[in-house]
Amino acid sequence: MVMTEFEQPPPSFPYDFMDVVWENVVKTLANLWCGDYKGLDEGKEEYGLNKTVWHAIGAACKDSGDTIPSIFVCRAPKIAEERGHFIAESWSQWCMYLAPALLRKRFKKPTYYRHFTALVTLLNKCLSRSLNFEDVEALHCGFAEWVQEYENVRIMGPVWCYWAFPMERFCGSLLPAIKSRRYPYASIDRRVTEISQLHQIKVIYDLRQQLDLRRRRDVERRGLGIPGYPNSVFVAPSETRKLDELVYKRLINHIATRFETSLSTAKAIVPKTATHWGKIQWLNDGDMMHALDFIRDPSRPGRRDMTFVKYTVLEDRNFHQRNRSAAGFDVFAEYYGQLLSLFVIEIPPSSAIGTTEITTLALAAVLPVHLNGRNNANQVVCKANAFDPLEVIDIQSLECVFGRIIDRNKWVFIEQLGAREVTQIGDDPESAVRPRNFRQR
């Protein structure tokens, strides 16, 4: 291949992050750790992991599929026995989500774990939706021996703009369109033409919403919107029933705090029954969240848990200091917990709280997780099944679902942030570049 002076990598031909990092660097690291890289041994180092450790890590990899929502990633195979089944997405999931949790305290020397988590930190920065000059300089220093990749980021921008995931997924979506073994390319051509025509109709006539054929859009159409909550819809199943006793007590506290009234006044106006819903869908490509009380068998094998949510509430800055007076609810605090129930109540008009008409509230009962801190990869860590007392919050406080990795009686939380979600693609060409909408405050 002959190149002119204007055709030089990376400006003209960007290096593909998917193959360079996930299918090369991360895969090679795993092979080195398990002693399966071109017959090389450790030499004078001690970075190898014995088979017992690898089998334990592999079992945890497979089990994590039940506790990580399906919108995050595909299920990861057992890395000890099934590394041959890993694809680029699997290696990405292993590196960014699973390995920082599962490799902690596995090496004989902690320096190898710190070295790996430093790489994860740099890769997280590479996956940012945008990069400023300070970020590029930080990458340059971090990847001191990786000058070519650094130049790629400096000139081409964030790696999600040019990696191969969207094209790979798009090509995969065309395979079901092949109906003829004799003329497969005719079927592919017809499919590509139809997708392009549909896309042009959406753009020309502004019919993106009406012609959105994704399952998510169908769920949004069938969902029930609640007045005062324009960014979400409730999704079946649903039923009207009496509130649980503990939820009812916490609801009274919530109403008393919300309307700045006494507990006795709140108790007098709060109904004891409510319409309960099984799911809530956030609009504009937000998350689907499931309520635990409508799940018949939470421990069923193969079920992907979408009941754990991140939420943000206003908190008094002096809440944890007993000797100081309240400073008002002026600080946003982030929490993690399990979504127990979703329900809607109607509060009648009351002069005690200053309302002249029926007030409809959409609320959630959440069991907060007792957090212990973060690991070297900045992942939230807590003891398994360690919860704080139940609380009732407004659904507007709900942010997104998160996944859990269960390892040695600990939970490690993972969130789908940055450009990871851009790898998802369907028949709609726009879905290749449409990031999920993380609700920002």
Side-chain angles (χ1 to χ4, degrees), residues 274-319:
T275 302
H276 291 71
W277 290 86
K279 307 171 187 176
I280 183 172
Q281 172 69 65
W282 291 99
L283 305 180
N284 301 319
D285 294 308
D287 287 347
M288 167 81 80
M289 302 175 180
H290 293 205
L292 182 64
D293 62 348
F294 274 90
I295 298 176
R296 296 180 179 178
D297 185 9
S299 60
R300 175 176 61 85
R303 191 186 74 84
R304 309 216 44 186
D305 195 347
M306 299 183 69
T307 64
F308 281 80
V309 297
K310 177 182 177 180
Y311 61 98
T312 306
V313 295
L314 273 174
E315 188 177 82
D316 180 6
R317 66 172 69 247
N318 294 336
F319 176 76

Side-chain angles (χ1 to χ4, degrees), residues 77-333:
K78 290 184 177 181
I79 193 169
E81 302 95 339
E82 303 171 343
R83 281 200 310 283
H85 297 167
F86 271 57
I87 58 177
E89 183 181 359
S90 306
W91 286 118
S92 172
Q93 174 188 7
W94 158 256
C95 176
M96 307 304 291
Y97 291 156
L98 303 176
L102 300 180
L103 292 179
R104 183 173 178 269
K105 295 185 178 180
R106 299 286 195 181
F107 293 102
K108 296 178 181 178
K109 295 181 179 180
T111 182
Y112 302 115
Y113 176 74
R114 290 196 298 267
H115 182 261
F116 173 72
T117 54
L119 173 64
V120 173
T121 301
L122 290 170
L123 294 179
N124 265 317
K125 190 178 290 294
C126 287
L127 294 177
S128 300
R129 291 204 183 103
S130 62
L131 291 172
N132 55 38
F133 287 110
E134 290 76 13
D135 294 331
V136 174
E137 292 302 323
L139 288 173
H140 185 201
C141 296
F143 291 115
E145 297 180 359
W146 199 357
V147 179
Q148 288 183 331
E149 180 62 19
Y150 149 71
E151 293 293 347
N152 192 28
V153 172
R154 173 185 285 269
I155 297 173
M156 302 305 299
V159 296
W160 64 267
C161 298
Y162 49 87
W163 62 14
F165 275 114
M167 179 53 66
E168 295 279 354
R169 293 299 176 87
F170 183 69
C171 292
S173 70
L174 296 178
L175 292 179
I178 300 176
K179 304 300 182 183
S180 171
R181 294 185 180 182
R182 185 176 182 183
Y183 302 108
Y185 294 105
S187 299
I188 294 176
D189 291 344
R190 179 179 178 181
R191 181 62 171 171
V192 172
T193 301
E194 291 174 345
I195 292 174
S196 300
Q197 289 173 340
L198 181 61
H199 179 60
Q200 290 301 314
I201 292 172
K202 291 179 182 180
V203 173
I204 294 173
Y205 299 102
D206 194 20
L207 297 174
R208 291 183 179 87
Q209 296 290 334
Q210 294 85 338
L211 296 181
D212 190 343
L213 304 180
R214 294 175 301 159
R215 180 178 177 274
R216 177 193 297 271
R217 180 57 182 163
D218 185 53
V219 170
E220 294 176 0
R221 292 192 187 101
R222 292 186 287 105
L224 176 66
I226 303 297
Y229 299 88
N231 298 321
S232 62
V233 292
F234 284 101
V235 182
S238 67
E239 66 174 341
T240 300
R241 64 173 185 263
K242 186 177 180 181
L243 288 165
D244 179 79
E245 182 178 354
L246 180 58
V247 173
Y248 181 68
K249 291 181 179 179
R250 296 293 185 267
L251 175 58
I252 292 175
N253 292 336
H254 173 83
I255 296 300
T257 303
R258 182 169 185 155
F259 292 98
E260 299 181 351
T261 186
S262 64
L263 292 176
S264 58
T265 301
K267 186 175 182 179
I269 61 175
V270 171
K272 293 187 177 181
T273 60
T275 302
H276 291 71
W277 290 86
K279 307 171 187 176
I280 183 172
Q281 172 69 65
W282 291 99
L283 305 180
N284 301 319
D285 294 308
D287 287 347
M288 167 81 80
M289 302 175 180
H290 293 205
L292 182 64
D293 62 348
F294 274 90
I295 298 176
R296 296 180 179 178
D297 185 9
S299 60
R300 175 176 61 85
R303 191 186 74 84
R304 309 216 44 186
D305 195 347
M306 299 183 69
T307 64
F308 281 80
V309 297
K310 177 182 177 180
Y311 61 98
T312 306
V313 295
L314 273 174
E315 188 177 82
D316 180 6
R317 66 172 69 247
N318 294 336
F319 176 76
H320 298 287
Q321 302 182 35
R322 297 182 178 181
N323 297 329
R324 290 194 177 187
S325 59
F329 296 92
D330 55 359
V331 177
F332 278 112

Side-chain angles (χ1 to χ4, degrees), residues 7 16 34 57 67 70 73 75 97 116 119 144 150 187 220 223 231 313 337 356 363 373 378 397 408:
E7 296 176 330
D16 180 39
C34 69
I57 293 175
T67 54
S70 58
V73 285
R75 287 181 176 271
Y97 291 156
F116 173 72
L119 173 64
Y150 149 71
S187 299
E220 294 176 0
N231 298 321
V313 295
T356 58
L363 305 168
N378 204 34
S397 297
R408 291 165 288 182

